[in-house]
């Protein structure tokens, strides 16, 4: 079964649901840039904008009801995060990630992400852990699988300890690696729901217990499980 969508034509921007915006102190331009960033990030995460696909700025700006300036600011921010790349002198495209890069990135995550989880011990409040636990359980009990909900809960779990690790260099490194692996368009994602939930709960249990050794092991096992799943899908 193919894991990667190799067709990457330039297409019009898909329908967008715009998040509610509040005007920050820095003014409406930054507010619109933030709105565009949030919308584009969601579209890339959900693979409504696929790897290798050219971003048509004029149509996307029209869909978001903003000018090209805040949209370009959002694209520059996404470029810095490795989510999009320049396609020629002015246009952008979603960065494509192939199987090899995905697997190599998982291996690096296997080295650094368990350390981030261990450093978060004692830095995450019990109520935060329980809120993520409730979200995982709700995801598992939902009558229908939802790709966006699956990724949202996954992000909440990992960001819980990444944001609390206390090392800004490590934090940035893990987030960039996660962005890379997320760009990979893995098939049969639905089959990962139960394994992800169980592995995520094991990480939460170790965080709640304050057990650095256990949280390192649980995080490492989760990443190895993802690696093995990808190889199973392509075999």
């Amino acid at each position: 079964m193919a894991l990667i969508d190799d067709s990457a034509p330039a297409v019009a921007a898909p329908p967008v649901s715009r998040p509610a915006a509040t005007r920050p102190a820095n003014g409406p331009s930054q507010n619109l840039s933030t709105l565009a960033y949030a919308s584009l990030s969601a579209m890339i995460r959900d693979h409504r904008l696929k790897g290798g696909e050219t971003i048509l700025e004029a149509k996307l700006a029209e869909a978001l009801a903003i000018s090209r300036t805040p949209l370009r600011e959002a694209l520059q921010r996404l470029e810095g995060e490795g989510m999009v790349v320049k396609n020629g002198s002015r246009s952008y495209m979603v960065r494509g990630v192939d199987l090899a890069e995905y697997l190599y990135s998982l291996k690096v995550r296997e080295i650094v992400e368990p350390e981030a989880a261990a450093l978060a011990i004692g830095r995450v409040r019990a109520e935060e852990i329980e809120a993520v636990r409730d979200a995982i359980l709700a995801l598992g009990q939902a009558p229908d699988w939802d790709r966006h909900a699956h990724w949202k809960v996954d992000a909440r779990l990992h960001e819980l300890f990444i944001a609390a690790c206390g090392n800004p260099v490590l934090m940035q490194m893990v987030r960039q690696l996660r962005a890379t692996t997320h760009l990979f368009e893995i098939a049969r994602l639905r089959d990962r729901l139960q394994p992800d939930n169980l592995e995520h709960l094991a990480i939460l249990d170790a965080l709640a217990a304050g057990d650095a050794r256990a949280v390192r092991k649980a995080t490492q096992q989760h990443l190895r499980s993802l690696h093995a799943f990808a190889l199973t899908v392509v075999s």
Side-chain angles (χ1 to χ4, degrees):
M1 178 179 294
L3 281 171
I4 303 173
D5 184 355
D6 290 322
S7 60
V11 297
V16 190
S17 56
R18 295 197 295 167
T22 56
R23 178 168 296 186
N26 289 339
S29 177
Q30 182 171 336
N31 180 50
L32 292 173
S33 175
T34 301
L35 183 150
Y37 170 81
S39 296
L40 277 169
S41 296
M43 292 159 69
I44 294 171
R45 284 197 308 271
D46 295 345
H47 298 292
R48 287 177 281 156
L49 288 173
K50 299 180 181 297
E53 184 173 317
T54 298
I55 296 172
L56 302 179
E57 293 184 32
K59 293 187 176 182
L60 187 56
E62 182 181 357
L64 292 170
I66 61 174
S67 70
R68 299 276 291 273
T69 298
L71 177 61
R72 185 159 288 272
E73 290 171 355
L75 287 167
Q76 289 170 349
R77 181 175 171 186
L78 288 166
E79 181 184 20
E81 295 175 359
M83 301 285 278
V84 302
V85 294
K86 281 281 182 64
N87 180 24
S89 60
R90 294 184 61 81
S91 62
Y92 287 88
M93 64 186 291
V94 180
R95 189 166 78 84
V97 172
D98 62 15
L99 176 62
E101 185 178 2
Y102 175 75
L103 295 176
Y104 285 136
S105 297
L106 281 177
K107 280 299 184 183
V108 180
R109 283 181 62 188
E110 190 181 315
I111 296 170
V112 297
E113 199 161 339
E115 183 62 21
L119 288 172
I121 293 289
R123 295 171 176 264
V124 183
R125 298 194 305 271
E127 55 268 30
E128 293 177 304
I129 293 173
E130 293 311 308
V132 176
R133 188 190 304 277
D134 289 345
I136 293 171
L137 295 175
L139 181 68
Q141 294 167 1
D144 299 307
W145 178 75
D146 181 89
R147 182 189 188 96
H148 177 71
H150 189 159
W151 280 127
K152 184 176 180 180
V153 171
D154 176 85
R156 284 188 66 182
L157 180 281
H158 288 269
E159 190 60 27
L160 181 71
F161 62 78
I162 294 169
C165 76
N167 183 325
V169 175
L170 180 59
M171 194 183 307
Q172 181 180 16
M173 182 185 300
V174 176
R175 284 173 174 161
Q176 288 177 337
L177 286 165
R178 275 183 48 79
T180 295
T181 53
H182 200 99
L183 285 169
F184 181 67
E185 297 177 34
I186 191 162
R188 289 169 44 193
L189 179 61
R190 183 173 187 165
D191 293 350
R192 282 296 312 175
L193 179 62
Q194 184 175 7
D196 280 350
N197 285 352
L198 292 174
E199 293 159 16
H200 287 167
L201 288 171
I203 293 171
L204 286 180
D205 288 342
L207 281 174
D211 190 331
R213 182 176 179 180
V215 81
R216 281 192 184 96
K217 182 177 180 180
T219 306
Q220 185 181 64
Q221 288 179 338
H222 172 53
L223 295 165
R224 287 178 176 175
S225 174
L226 292 172
H227 191 283
F229 179 78
L231 291 177
T232 299
V233 172
V234 298
S235 63

